[in-house]
Amino acid sequence: MKRGLVLEGGAMRGLFTAGITDVMMEAGIEPDGLIGVSAGAAFGCNYKSRQPGRAIRYNKRFARDKRYCSWQSWLKTGDLYNAEFGYHIVPAKYDIFDDKAFNENPMEFYVVCTDVTTGKAVYKQLKESTPLTYDWIRASASMPLASKVVELEGQKVLDGGVADSIPLEYFERIGYDRNVVILTQPEGFVKERNPLMPLMRIALRHYPNMIKAMDTRHLMYNRQLEYVRQAEREGRCLVIRPETAIPIGHISHDPEEMQRVYEMGRQTGEQYINKIKEFYLCE
């Protein structure tokens, strides 16, 4: 039996997920593998480095810092979330990422990106903490329009949520048969077509397959929600969802708002912690 943890993205809604995973870490729960998409990757890496509290800490600290997330950064670099500052300077200088713990933890860690040339998902296992590892995590969380295309190891990639928002099926395919899935939308949520498609067509005009993936993302996402529900009914996964819509936008510069969302996650984690332990222990 392989125990997996599947983390959906959702930009700043990911702080809800971080609250849950911090409770899991504090309880000593050690999945065999974790796969994160977008914010699920950016915050989920702290599970492998065994650093509960880190995601909410640095987001609050730099919430109003123009070096971290600002229109000035977007105009200057093409990235709303500054790539160099957020993914290299912060983990090396201000809120140090534990590379040693990441490398020594046997938990497998995967991130999902979208290849802008093909419009297909790229699943990348990150075994060691290196500057390239940080860039793969950044790429997974690089939202179209808000980020420029990231070129890594011969591939051009962006936000993994475009091609595979909830990668439960992929994780099952590679052998994870007991999965906890953390979603950032409540039960009953139905994704609608992206209203920014006219802008997407302009920004991604050189990548027709990426445009197609963006245009049909809502259909893919809603199919994945049904796949998760079926797996839940069959007992193949344990799904954790917020009870109501998470009260935060894709971007936030309000530390108190961030803390409230994080606390929602912690409360949910505490409610589910015994269920998670029982689910992972069940043969």
Side-chain angles (χ1 to χ4, degrees):
M1 181 183 73
K2 291 183 72 174
R3 300 166 301 168
L5 180 60
V6 180
L7 306 182
E8 180 186 11
M12 296 310 294
R13 294 197 310 273
L15 290 173
F16 169 81
T17 302
I20 297 171
T21 55
D22 281 357
V23 169
M24 292 173 65
M25 279 190 273
E26 290 161 7
I29 295 174
E30 297 279 348
D32 299 305
L34 183 158
I35 187 165
V37 182
S38 195
F43 300 160
C45 63
N46 297 298
Y47 209 126
K48 185 168 169 63
S49 67
R50 295 192 172 103
Q51 290 178 279
R54 182 172 177 272
I56 183 61
R57 187 171 60 239
Y58 73 74
N59 273 284
K60 287 174 61 179
R61 178 176 177 180
F62 296 105
R64 297 190 175 99
D65 193 317
K66 293 179 180 179
R67 297 172 297 173
Y68 183 61
C69 174
S70 67
W71 292 112
Q72 290 91 333
S73 172
W74 184 73
L75 291 170
K76 184 177 180 180
T77 70
D79 292 303
L80 190 65
Y81 284 88
N82 187 283
E84 180 63 21
F85 185 79
Y87 289 91
H88 294 283
I89 295 176
V90 169
K93 180 178 180 181
Y94 293 113
D95 199 317
I96 296 173
F97 188 71
D98 194 334
D99 297 315
K100 185 174 184 291
F102 185 97
N103 295 341
E104 292 178 352
N105 188 341
M107 182 180 73
E108 295 182 338
F109 179 70
Y110 293 79
V111 301
V112 185
C113 298
T114 301
D115 186 314
V116 299
T117 303
T118 65
K120 303 297 184 181
V122 175
Y123 305 97
K124 182 71 174 180
Q125 184 180 1
L126 302 174
K127 298 179 180 180
E128 294 183 352
S129 184
T130 67
L132 182 60
T133 291
Y134 297 165
D135 282 330
W136 273 107
I137 294 169
R138 169 172 70 92
S140 180
S142 291
M143 298 178 289
L145 295 185
S147 309
K148 62 186 178 184
V149 172
V150 183
E151 297 189 33
L152 296 171
E153 299 183 275
Q155 292 180 288
K156 296 181 177 181
V157 290
L158 279 174
D159 184 0
V162 174
D164 193 347
S165 297
I166 313 168
L168 171 62
E169 186 175 4
Y170 172 77
F171 233 30
E172 289 182 331
R173 195 159 65 239
I174 64 171
Y176 285 88
D177 48 7
R178 299 292 290 179
N179 292 292
V180 172
V181 180
I182 302 180
L183 303 180
T184 58
Q185 296 286 8
E187 178 60 69
F189 174 79
V190 177
K191 197 170 191 64
E192 303 291 341
R193 185 170 180 265
N194 193 323
L196 298 177
M197 278 310 302
L199 290 176
M200 295 289 182
R201 293 181 190 281
I202 295 171
L204 299 168
R205 59 191 178 277
H206 299 301
Y207 306 106
N209 288 322
M210 185 67 172
I211 293 173
K212 182 178 179 181
M214 289 292 304
D215 199 27
T216 58
R217 183 189 178 191
H218 62 296
L219 303 177
M220 174 274 296
Y221 184 86
N222 293 330
R223 284 195 298 269
Q224 288 192 325
L225 282 180
E226 183 50 42
Y227 184 90
V228 169
R229 292 189 191 102
Q230 183 61 32
E232 184 180 24
R233 287 191 290 267
E234 294 174 2
R236 303 201 318 267
C237 70
L238 173 65
V239 183
I240 304 175
R241 310 172 177 85
E243 292 184 358
T244 59
I246 298 173
I248 197 168
H250 278 76
I251 301 166
S252 176
H253 298 289
D254 184 346
E256 293 182 0
E257 181 180 57
M258 293 176 180
Q259 186 69 38
R260 286 194 295 271
V261 170
Y262 174 76
E263 290 300 333
M264 282 180 60
R266 286 199 64 92
Q267 291 170 12
T268 301
E270 289 163 0
Q271 293 168 4
Y272 272 86
I273 197 65
N274 289 331
K275 291 181 181 179
I276 295 169
K277 290 177 180 178
E278 291 170 5
F279 178 78
Y280 274 155
L281 290 173
C282 182
E283 294 290 345

